[in-house]
Amino acid sequence: MKSTFESQQFQPGFAQRLAYEKALNDWLRDYEFKYFYTLTFRSDVSVHKARATLNHFAQRLSRRAFGDSWKSPDFPMNRVSLVAGLERQASSRLHWHVAMQPLDHSRRLSSIVLVELAVRECWAASGGSPQQLDFQVINKNEDDKVVSYSMKQVKYDTDTFYEEWFSRQ
């Protein structure tokens, strides 16, 4: 039998990570995602710094969308809901693939143009590169493909999945 990089011989635990990726995709398939964007860093950062920066970005975007009510435990829906997958570019710089749920309940970000502008500005304010930001609206038929694409690195490293801001809306 021919050995591939994905085989057990080269990567012990690969079958378990594949099962984890499939379970993750099956779970997220039950939720609606409306926006997909790629957040690229201006320079090399560690995985720890990348996670902290994404958290800071989500806080800024939540504040932009919902004002100070995003922090209130009385209004748990007043924050952005997203999942992300971390990936390295060929140049070894990290970037996030983000799938975000609709912001229909935000009065401040009431259009696609406003959401894109807020994402761009919040990412720049968090230290990311707004010039390399790729923002797209997801067609209803493409939810599964977007989530699968975002989570494709999970089969190699389960720590690339980021769900701290996913609120199951």
Side-chain angles (χ1 to χ4, degrees):
M1 180 171 102
K2 182 178 177 183
S3 292
T4 64
F5 181 69
E6 287 83 8
S7 71
Q8 288 290 331
Q9 181 179 355
F10 289 102
Q11 288 195 32
F14 186 71
Q16 290 87 354
R17 291 191 308 272
L18 275 177
Y20 178 72
E21 178 191 28
K22 182 184 179 327
L24 191 58
N25 285 318
D26 290 346
W27 174 55
L28 293 172
R29 190 173 291 129
D30 291 338
Y31 301 96
E32 178 188 2
F33 294 93
K34 186 170 183 176
Y35 307 105
F36 174 73
Y37 44 92
T38 302
L39 303 174
T40 305
F41 292 92
R42 292 181 186 163
S43 59
D44 287 337
V45 297
S46 67
V47 172
H48 177 74
K49 175 72 172 169
R51 291 178 84 75
T53 302
L54 186 61
N55 188 52
H56 184 251
F57 162 78
Q59 288 176 11
R60 283 183 167 279
L61 190 56
S62 290
R63 184 175 292 114
R64 182 66 98 53
F66 303 106
D68 286 335
S69 70
W70 81 269
K71 294 185 209 175
S72 172
D74 297 332
F75 301 103
M77 300 296 278
N78 284 358
R79 57 185 260 165
V80 297
S81 177
L82 56 86
V83 293
L86 189 61
E87 186 177 312
R88 283 196 190 279
Q89 293 177 317
S91 67
S92 84
R93 274 198 328 196
L94 294 172
H95 62 277
W96 289 105
H97 292 294
V98 181
M100 187 169 79
Q101 291 188 294
L103 291 175
D104 298 338
H105 52 291
S106 169
R107 286 188 233 144
R108 295 172 175 219
L109 301 180
S110 56
S111 71
I112 293 168
V113 172
L114 291 174
V115 172
E116 181 177 3
L117 180 64
V119 166
R120 194 170 295 281
E121 290 175 353
C122 291
W123 182 240
S126 298
S129 173
Q131 291 81 18
Q132 293 184 328
L133 187 138
D134 178 27
F135 182 91
Q136 300 172 31
V137 176
I138 302 170
N139 287 334
K140 294 221 183 264
N141 304 343
E142 296 177 341
D143 279 26
D144 295 347
K145 292 177 188 173
V146 168
V147 169
S148 293
Y149 185 78
S150 299
M151 302 302 131
K152 68 184 177 209
Q153 290 299 312
V154 168
K155 67 177 140 277
Y156 302 110
D157 181 0
T158 56
D159 290 337
T160 60
F161 174 57
Y162 181 92
E163 84 293 342
E164 282 85 2
W165 282 82
F166 184 57
S167 61
R168 300 167 191 88
Q169 298 178 13

